[in-house]
Amino acid sequence: MGQLKLTLASLGLTLAVQKTNPDFWRGKRVLLTGHTGFKGSWLSLWLQSMDSTLRGIALDPPTNPALFDVARVAAGMEHRIVDIRDFAAVKRQMDEFQPEIVIHMAAQPLVRYSYQEPIETYATNVMGTVHVLEAARHAGSVKAVINVTTDKCYENHEWVWGYREKDPIGGHDPYSSSKGCSELVTSAYRRSFFEQAGIALASVRAGNVIGGGDWSVDRLIPDVLRAFETNTPVVIRSPNAIRPWQHVLEPLSGYLMLAQALYEEGEKYSSGWNFGSNDEDAKPVQWIVEQLTSKWRDDAIWAQDNGKHPHEANYLKLDISKAKNQLGWKPIWNLDQALEKIVDWHKAWLSDADMRSLCEQQIAAYQSDIQISQA
Ligand SMILES: NC(=O)c1ccc[n+]([C@@H]2O[C@H](COP(=O)([O-])OP(=O)(O)OC[C@H]3O[C@@H](n4cnc5c(N)ncnc54)[C@H](O)[C@@H]3O)[C@@H](O)[C@H]2O)c1
């Protein structure tokens, strides 16, 4: 009688061990779009620390101050100012640099700004993605591509469960819907072109990313730190809105692991991936403000902004079972640790510390905590 043989693979599970492998990244030719931004600067520093051959294409840093300048990110990479809405310019970079791995992060990333500038948002986030994928397809060198979208790409039902990778894509506001479109573009490019060409292509959806060096407008942590600095009350729009908060190094470690898996094993990993926080770190805005306040100084106060604001999702969580089970990725720093790192970072910046070296220390600490979590 035939025996029923259950293997991890037959159940769609693997026992991968979480790693961001410096040996893999040494000398790899990586083209990163959006390297002058908050997440792009952190990822650039991480790739530089592993000796990747890195070229970044983006516009000038979107804020002033900017992590890109403060941490002297350009010092360890090829830095090019290129508008991804200009296909010829993107293609020139791709053809000339001949990357093996492309990580596409450049975007107009702000919900409220997208209500003011929907055309710019769609042009950058949708056609910009088409341009990057089309240029990657023709470069002749690319083996793996990651398109960074967002947790907001899912059609939001305001329900209490985390969104899974197979849930419908959607988006209420122009930003969210532009990222939903970017997901659809990714899926069409995978099936129409990349599968035949042997290029592995995945999209990644992270939660609300926090960390030192974010000066964006309309984001909670930068708004709170600005209020602390100026001794003014913290004014928050939606104290009860729940988001999957996570330190910026968390999703970045997922992107690095996934890029390696795409490069080495291809098709198996060519799909959408959530890299969110653990369930207990999906917290209301008010909780974050109170924690940050107690870590900064006790007498800071906050107030609710009762003005009229455009619609933003109220409840948003990601299900991260797929990344945990199939990639071996998991969150390392909880929310409390993430807030500690931010406060340390920001206080160091206020006291004129060497911020490149502080970022490098935090990256090294994160990598060492990965090792500890496996012990
Ligand atoms: N920060 C978050 O909480 C968060 C959460 C989920 C997803 N994301 C996504 O991660 C990515 C990076 O976000 P971020 O927070 O670092 O944003 P950011 O605003 O700090 O950086 C955006 C980057 O995109 C570049 N860019 C914008 N328009 C461009 C154009 N037309 N041509 C070339 N480059 C252009 C900017 O120059 C910058 O380098 C985005 O795709 C964003 O949607 C961010």
Side-chain angles (χ1 to χ4, degrees):
M1 214 167 104
Q3 276 187 323
L4 178 61
K5 217 173 156 191
L6 282 182
T7 61
L8 285 172
S10 72
L11 292 170
L13 300 172
T14 51
L15 268 189
V17 175
Q18 173 152 7
K19 58 181 190 289
T20 41
N21 185 347
D23 292 337
F24 169 81
W25 288 98
R26 189 165 306 119
K28 280 281 172 319
R29 299 184 70 77
V30 184
L31 188 128
L32 172 64
T33 75
H35 67 294
T36 60
F38 166 60
K39 284 169 78 173
S41 292
W42 275 103
L43 186 58
S44 296
L45 291 172
W46 198 339
L47 287 166
Q48 289 174 28
S49 77
M50 298 188 292
D51 293 327
S52 300
T53 304
L54 179 61
R55 179 177 291 193
I57 63 171
L59 299 180
D60 282 326
T63 58
N64 183 17
L67 178 58
F68 183 75
D69 300 319
V70 165
R72 304 187 314 280
V73 175
M77 67 188 297
E78 297 178 25
H79 159 54
R80 302 283 187 274
I81 297 295
V82 174
D83 190 330
I84 59 167
R85 288 167 294 183
D86 177 352
F87 173 61
V90 175
K91 186 166 181 338
R92 246 190 327 274
Q93 292 296 324
M94 203 74 81
D95 289 346
E96 182 191 291
F97 182 63
Q98 293 285 287
E100 301 165 271
I101 296 172
V102 175
I103 303 178
H104 173 44
M105 272 192 184
Q108 189 305 94
L110 303 171
V111 172
R112 276 155 49 100
Y113 184 81
S114 80
Y115 281 105
Q116 292 158 29
E117 298 294 345
I119 297 176
E120 179 191 331
T121 302
Y122 283 107
T124 304
N125 296 359
V126 187
M127 284 315 293
T129 300
V130 174
H131 295 159
V132 170
L133 297 184
E134 183 67 7
R137 163 163 105 94
H138 291 292
S141 56
V142 178
K143 282 191 71 175
V145 182
I146 288 188
N147 179 26
V148 177
T149 65
T150 173
D151 54 353
K152 298 186 179 67
C153 72
Y154 294 109
E155 183 59 32
N156 192 304
H157 302 285
E158 298 284 348
W159 61 32
V160 293
W161 305 284
Y163 291 89
R164 293 183 185 169
E165 284 83 350
K166 288 195 184 311
D167 282 329
I169 297 297
H172 179 119
D173 58 88
Y175 168 69
S176 306
S177 113
S178 74
K179 287 291 189 168
C181 295
S182 177
E183 285 283 349
L184 297 179
V185 167
T186 307
S187 166
Y189 258 76
R190 183 185 302 120
R191 289 179 288 170
S192 308
F193 307 118
F194 281 31
E195 276 171 8
Q196 293 93 312
I199 303 172
L201 169 61
S203 59
V204 289
R205 303 144 189 181
N208 269 44
V209 176
I210 58 178
D214 190 3
W215 279 280
S216 301
V217 290
D218 277 345
R219 280 191 188 153
L220 179 65
I221 306 272
D223 285 351
V224 172
L225 292 175
R226 268 188 287 266
F228 287 167
E229 274 172 48
T230 50
N231 276 326
T232 47
V234 179
V235 180
I236 54 178
R237 289 193 300 276
S238 317
N240 300 320
I242 292 189
R243 296 281 184 276
W245 307 97
Q246 56 186 165
H247 192 274
V248 61
L249 296 178
E250 300 281 332
L252 296 187
S253 74
Y255 304 169
L256 291 173
M257 287 177 69
L258 180 61
Q260 181 175 346
L262 289 167
Y263 186 95
E264 291 176 338
E265 296 184 58
E267 208 175 314
K268 190 170 146 198
Y269 292 92
S270 295
S271 53
W273 297 82
N274 289 344
F275 292 105
S277 57
N278 276 326
D279 248 20
E280 59 272 22
D281 285 335
K283 293 274 195 218
V285 164
Q286 179 177 338
W287 187 92
I288 299 284
V289 175
E290 285 168 358
Q291 290 299 309
L292 208 50
T293 303
S294 73
K295 287 181 194 307
W296 189 271
R297 47 149 232 256
D298 280 336
D299 59 338
I301 46 168
W302 68 271
Q304 181 164 358
D305 175 354
N306 288 319
K308 219 171 152 26
H309 300 290
H311 172 275
E312 288 188 69
N314 203 37
Y315 205 95
L316 184 48
K317 281 204 303 189
L318 287 173
D319 184 313
I320 53 173
S321 312
K322 181 180 170 187
K324 279 182 171 171
N325 287 312
Q326 295 184 13
L327 198 60
W329 174 88
K330 65 179 178 202
I332 298 293
W333 283 347
N334 63 27
L335 191 46
D336 192 58
Q337 289 170 296
L339 294 174
E340 287 285 346
K341 300 288 177 195
I342 293 172
V343 168
D344 289 351
W345 197 100
H346 206 75
K347 285 190 168 165
W349 176 67
L350 287 174
S351 59
D352 281 336
D354 177 342
M355 298 317 291
R356 183 180 172 99
S357 116
L358 190 83
C359 289
E360 286 165 352
Q361 283 163 30
Q362 292 198 340
I363 291 169
Y366 184 82
Q367 279 181 304
S368 130
D369 286 347
I370 292 179
Q371 308 297 333
I372 293 166
S373 79
Q374 287 161 5

